[in-house]
Amino acid sequence: MSIVQVALDVPVDELFDYDEGALQVPVGGLVAVPFGRRRAVGITLRRVAHSKLPADRLRSVERILPVTPLPKETLALARFCSDYYRFPLGQVLAATLPTALRRPSFRLPSSFSRYRLTPLGHSIDSEALPQRAVSARRLLIAFKRGGCLTSLQTRSVTSRSAALLREWVQAGWIAREEDMSDGEPAPPDAQMPSQEPALTAAQQQAVEQIASSFRSYSPWLLEGITGSGKTEVYLQLAAQVCARGEQALLLVPEINLTPQLESRLKRRFPTVQIVSLHSGLNESERLVRWIRASRGEAQLVLGTRLAVFTPMPRLGLVIVDEEHDASYKQQEGVRYHARDVAVLLARERQVPIVLGSATPSLEAVLNARKGRFGHLMLSERPLASLPSIQIVDTAKGTPPDPLPSSVLAALERRLERREQSLVFINRRGYAPVLLCRACGWSAPCPRCAARLTLHLGERALRCHYCGHRASIHASCPDCGNQDLRGLGHGTQRLEEWLAGRFPQARILRVDSDTTRRKHSFSRMREQIHEESVDILVGTQMLAKGHDFPKLTLVIVVGADLMLYSTDFRAPERLYQQLTQVAGRAGRSKLTGEVLVLTQFPQHPLYEALLRHDFAGFAQGQLIERERSGFPPFVHQVMLRAESTSEKTVVAFVSAAARAAAPLAEGVTVYDAVPAPMPRLAGRYRWQLLVQSTSRAALQRFLAGWQERLRAGRSSAVRWALDVDPIDA
DNA sequence: AGCACGCCGACT
DNA sequence: GTCGGCGTGCTC
């Protein structure tokens, strides 16, 4: 009798033994097993001869799910993430699977079924079918010729195939079997390079260098200023990989960008099977695409962070676009960083990986400097010149207006020239606070340590952290004064103000309030492209990747706010963000202009930005980080804890600190402190930082510490370890 | 995580 | 006298 060890989706660092019975369970196979009172899907990790458990406690595997077993490389990657990010293996694996595959009763969708003629079916003569049953005759002939057909193949024989298949299965002419075999690799496409645009010398060189490392692990940092054509480099590499009959994985930060890139890819490579995987998919779509990728049928897989775990049997290349982007970091459950996991994946599979960015993370810059990554630069814009950046000093003689007159004049000029402008402000809503002019009271969120934001449009106050809504106070609850005013500017107020200033202009506000509904975002993109908009007022979401040819002016309001942050990564983020926003200006022949409003025009960050000197900025930041002992020169882990009772969290983190002390060899344990948002949605939040210059020492420490934290069973506290946190 | 078991407060 | 609160413990 053979035992299989199965990982299940439970928060326990153990595998569960099952008797495989008469089944031949492959390693990596997904199995339905009885577990307690319920049934569960597990992943088979090992087969062993004996179990430590007495035989009478073993239960049997119920069935093997009809999908290709997970390849050992996928298992290894999950194992690594489990160890490194301190999260149970079964839960890591479960998180990477489409939800449909987590149901014990899983059936393959019928589109993946194969049908085979039964002996009875063989005995039927197609000539014996009625003359007018044209479809049936054709299908039967196809079966006799092929013996076995997938439902996709039958559909190309006749459009009536679905109904016929159902009838014939009933009649016993054919039998359905689930197709678990790997798909055929699509034939290499000889005509692929035909429509490729000419590359600049730098692009050409990047493509050649990376291509010369095919079939081996070699990581590349592709640093290319906005508009330098990084995407073109990805496309040509992907084309080469597909032409070799291999698969390419392309990771992108945000779901908003995938449809755009996907359609570009499909236009460019009409014959290549492209599959996109992102959180906007429903369960069955996700499943179908995952299966296409895992059988090797999809040649190009385009996806957000979770896609890094998609099994791809013929993987030949990994690309991580906008490598520095924070959305690659998962912020709950297994807190992995998809960019880091992608590097491991490439190493595991011995394929090249390209990390692309205009403003690489300091981690990537350091890796390149140390020679761990090859460093490729794209420093010219083939289609347009760099936008001119100007720093507008708002410190002196500040009028109460949100935009000074010089900026208004620039807007005016665009209106005259019928070009578009973007005003970027990192605050949605009308005004960030509702303030009492008499006593200084301002509306707080009852559940968070935050002020409520005034939303005039919906006549409400809203918390941007927990979503809490309240009606607008008529008078100050503290002093009764009725003179309550919105203080500061959000997108709504800026839009309103601009409408007053430019009554003739067509103004469009783009923030998460105006794009809530499903297709509103792509509708807005169309409006912008149709040039039925003169001035855009927007947040974050307009910063990334979009290409608006008529947009020649970008105005950044409120950038300074980020400089006040205590997070040591704030300058890095601000630089990245400003570069990204600036990149929206002048992507075509029209030259772009970027105006950054600040009270600190002499700040080194702005000075570097003016010179388009990211390398200099990064170098300065690295020196600073090294001097003050911050990442990437040290490695960090954050213990995050929260509870509805502040006393309980404090007790927990204090106990955690005490438990850490005797284990802390080669690591520094800091004092527990309240989180940057100390109360969120009614929960008190504390955190405790541990760091070390040695990853190994940190990992050794974590193993012991986590065990003690778990032993301290405290159900009132929710806590998690965040390895390589990206926010302090 | 589920899901049970188990021992203390307000209700038909 | 029961329904149900969530603390504790286990799942191969």
Side-chain angles (χ1 to χ4, degrees), chain A residues 85 87 95-96 304-309 325-339 341 640 721-727:
Chain A
Y85 294 107
F87 208 77
T96 69
T304 47
R305 60 173 179 265
L306 189 57
V308 75
F309 292 106
D325 198 290
S327 46
Y328 284 121
K329 182 75 158 77
Q330 172 94 45
Q331 294 290 25
E332 57 190 23
V334 217
R335 294 172 172 251
Y336 64 93
H337 198 303
R339 177 243 288 139
V341 177
R640 304 182 188 278
L721 290 174
D722 189 351
V723 179
D724 300 335
I726 59 163
D727 29 41

Side-chain angles (χ1 to χ4, degrees), chain A residues 360-381:
Chain A
S361 61
L362 293 181
E363 284 77 5
V365 171
L366 185 64
N367 276 328
R369 215 170 63 181
K370 291 199 165 170
R372 288 195 283 254
F373 291 176
H375 198 170
L376 301 164
M377 302 280 277
L378 303 179
S379 39
E380 52 186 288
R381 268 188 157 187

Side-chain angles (χ1 to χ4, degrees), chain A residues 270-289:
Chain A
T271 61
V272 170
Q273 270 237 39
I274 298 167
V275 141
S276 76
L277 291 165
H278 53 78
S279 53
L281 299 176
N282 67 34
E283 198 178 296
S284 54
E285 278 177 305
R286 174 173 286 279
L287 173 74
V288 167
R289 295 175 185 207

Side-chain angles (χ1 to χ4, degrees), chain A residues 99 222 230 264 268 280 516 579 654:
Chain A
T99 44
L222 178 63
K230 289 185 291 292
R264 177 169 173 187
R268 179 69 171 277
R516 189 142 319 191
T579 306
S654 315

Side-chain angles (χ1 to χ4, degrees), chain A residues 7 26 151 241 252 256 364 367 401 407 446 486 500 598 601 676 717 722:
Chain A
S151 70
V241 168
V252 291
N256 269 341
N367 276 328
D401 289 344
V407 173
T598 173
V717 179
D722 189 351

